[in-house]
Amino acid sequence: MTEKKSSPATIAAQALGWIDPITRAVVPPIHPSTTYLRDEDNGYSSGRMYARADNPGYDQAEAVLVALEGGAAAALFASGSAASSAVFLALDPGDHVVVSRVMYWSLRNWLLTFATRWGLRVELVEPSDLEAVRAAVQPGVTRLIWVETPANPLWTVADIAALAGIARAAGARLAVDSTVATPVLTRPLALGADLVMHSATKYLNGHSDVVAGALITAREDEFWQRIKANRVQMGGILGPFEAWLLLRGLRTLFARVLLACASAQLIAERLSVHPKVREVLYPGLPGFPGHDIARRQMDGGFGAMLSIRVQGGKTAAIATAARVRVWKRATSLGGVESFIEHRASIEGSTSPVPPDLLRLSVGLEAAEDLIGDLVEALESAQV
Ligand code: PLP
């Protein structure tokens, strides 16, 4: 195993330095078996019985995530959505939760429909407004505060340390969707959060070829045991091949994220002075609300996600997206290729997203190619 003092980039690149004890392979095998042999004394000395409960292919990726996030334990899920819902379903019907108004739209819809019908009392707040969060949280009653930072797709920044203080004072837990920040830029547990969630479909895997999710906990407490039981009993597990691909993607996490962040910063700065752009939403711009908090809690960059609001409204936004050639018109984020998307078309009526907004996921192409392509599209869409 890699020495404990290794830096996070080394931990990721070597996936903790694991070597197969039998073959000396530096890459682990894939274990497709769904079941494990019982011992003659009727026990399971391997510690494994059935693949819905656990898979050896999870061990290394979970251990890498524990090391990168500074947690006590991690669990992989079939998707980020499976990971998120496992947290909310570990609460009890009647429990009160306070969640970000701006967040991954499908989770917000799930909370306002399924989770509410199931019995959770869901309150939406703007987490950058700490007074509003304090007012929404009911001491002894609120069980969970859930925030996403930077929050998709307006990239609002929540102050994790301050929110952790509010949660602690009220006897609630703080969970952070850190998909966009990644452990390269932010470590929510070190700032006081109790749980971190990643849609590993995005940067952790990074190649747009796996749907996966992950949770990392600060403590292996009773709540964590409930979450783990949810994974086994509801069956939202990751396949062994997907877990293997995820570990492969994790090895290049630092190089990918740091390069994409540098390009995103450049793109944000260049577009923020372009006459066809009304506004650039990016935590790395000094004038952006939340920039100072982002400087405190993000290290190495401000993320590779930004949004632009174009002059000319919805029609111009859709026309711009139609004209790009290097950017790909696709949903999702965190891949090696850059994506552009008109979010209001997707998110529906509960969305706080303005109709002139285009979301940009910056990949690993040359930044100048991305800027040139977008500027050409903006200028030809708005003659
Ligand atoms: N959280 C964020 C910030 C996301 O962008 C997404 C997906 O786009 C999710 C969670 C849900 O993840 P998944 O698609 O892996 O279920």
Side-chain angles (χ1 to χ4, degrees):
M1 297 292 270
T2 305
E3 291 295 313
K4 276 216 174 75
K5 62 181 178 314
S6 293
S7 66
T10 304
I11 289 171
Q14 297 193 352
L16 281 166
W18 183 89
I19 301 292
D20 184 87
I22 297 170
T23 63
R24 310 300 287 156
V26 298
V27 173
I30 300 173
H31 291 278
S33 185
T34 55
T35 192
Y36 301 87
L37 193 66
R38 201 185 263 277
D39 303 329
E40 287 170 11
D41 67 2
N42 214 31
Y44 278 106
S45 54
S46 72
R48 301 179 203 277
M49 188 176 81
Y50 183 55
R52 180 156 45 74
D54 54 5
N55 185 294
Y58 295 174
D59 296 355
Q60 211 177 334
E62 289 178 349
V64 170
L65 290 173
V66 165
L68 296 183
E69 292 287 5
L76 299 184
F77 285 82
S79 64
S81 302
S84 312
S85 52
V87 174
F88 287 99
L89 294 175
L91 297 162
D92 290 321
D95 280 352
H96 181 246
V97 297
V98 171
V99 305
S100 289
R101 186 181 66 90
V102 180
M103 64 148 84
Y104 174 55
W105 70 285
S106 175
L107 178 62
R108 185 178 55 239
N109 281 356
W110 182 83
L111 286 166
L112 296 177
T113 53
F114 180 94
T116 304
R117 282 199 303 274
W118 179 74
L120 281 188
R121 290 183 299 128
V122 179
E123 194 156 340
L124 301 181
V125 291
E126 173 46 62
S128 58
D129 181 349
L130 294 177
E131 279 319 307
V133 178
R134 272 191 205 97
V137 167
Q138 301 168 29
V141 176
T142 304
R143 295 286 166 227
L144 183 73
I145 301 179
W146 177 281
V147 295
E148 183 180 315
T149 182
N152 195 354
L154 305 181
W155 316 117
T156 41
V157 178
D159 185 336
I160 297 172
L163 291 165
I166 296 174
R168 212 174 307 118
R173 289 182 176 78
L174 175 67
V176 177
D177 178 342
S178 197
T179 298
V180 168
T182 79
V184 178
L185 310 177
T186 303
R187 297 189 352 138
L189 302 181
L191 296 166
D194 300 284
L195 280 169
V196 179
M197 195 288 288
H198 290 281
S199 167
T201 315
K202 318 300 184 198
Y203 295 99
L204 297 187
N205 176 62
H207 291 77
S208 305
D209 54 11
V210 170
V211 174
L215 292 172
I216 303 96
T217 182
R219 288 172 306 283
E220 290 192 85
D221 55 9
E222 190 256 335
F223 192 64
W224 179 249
Q225 300 313 330
R226 280 189 179 206
I227 290 171
K228 290 286 296 279
N230 281 351
R231 182 176 75 173
V232 178
Q233 290 162 359
M234 296 194 295
I237 59 158
L238 195 61
F241 181 54
E242 286 73 15
W244 185 89
L245 278 175
L246 172 58
L247 183 68
R248 190 195 57 168
L250 270 172
R251 288 169 175 256
T252 55
L253 177 70
F254 280 72
R256 285 186 286 102
V257 168
L258 294 174
L259 176 58
C261 283
S263 297
Q265 182 74 39
L266 194 66
I267 293 167
E269 286 168 9
R270 296 271 279 278
L271 292 179
S272 64
V273 292
H274 194 281
K276 304 285 188 195
V277 176
R278 264 182 70 189
E279 194 182 3
V280 176
L281 308 178
Y282 183 60
L285 293 176
F288 186 74
H291 174 69
D292 290 341
I293 301 165
R295 281 173 69 96
R296 278 206 310 275
Q297 72 185 25
M298 300 180 86
D299 192 18
F302 295 93
M305 294 301 301
L306 64 145
S307 295
I308 56 173
R309 298 187 62 188
V310 304
Q311 302 286 6
K314 177 179 174 183
T315 311
I318 291 175
T320 302
R323 284 168 166 75
V324 290
R325 293 291 171 267
V326 180
W327 297 82
K328 300 299 168 217
R329 269 182 311 282
T331 197
S332 200
L333 54 107
V336 293
E337 58 292 280
S338 295
F339 295 137
I340 186 166
E341 189 176 37
H342 183 251
R343 285 303 296 177
S345 300
I346 293 219
E347 298 201 5
S349 59
T350 60
S351 169
V353 177
D356 58 4
L357 181 141
L358 290 170
R359 185 180 81 175
L360 306 177
S361 168
V362 178
L364 304 186
E365 305 92 335
E368 290 303 333
D369 289 350
L370 295 171
I371 294 169
D373 187 42
L374 199 51
V375 165
E376 239 178 81
L378 281 162
E379 290 174 357
S380 66
Q382 301 175 48
V383 278

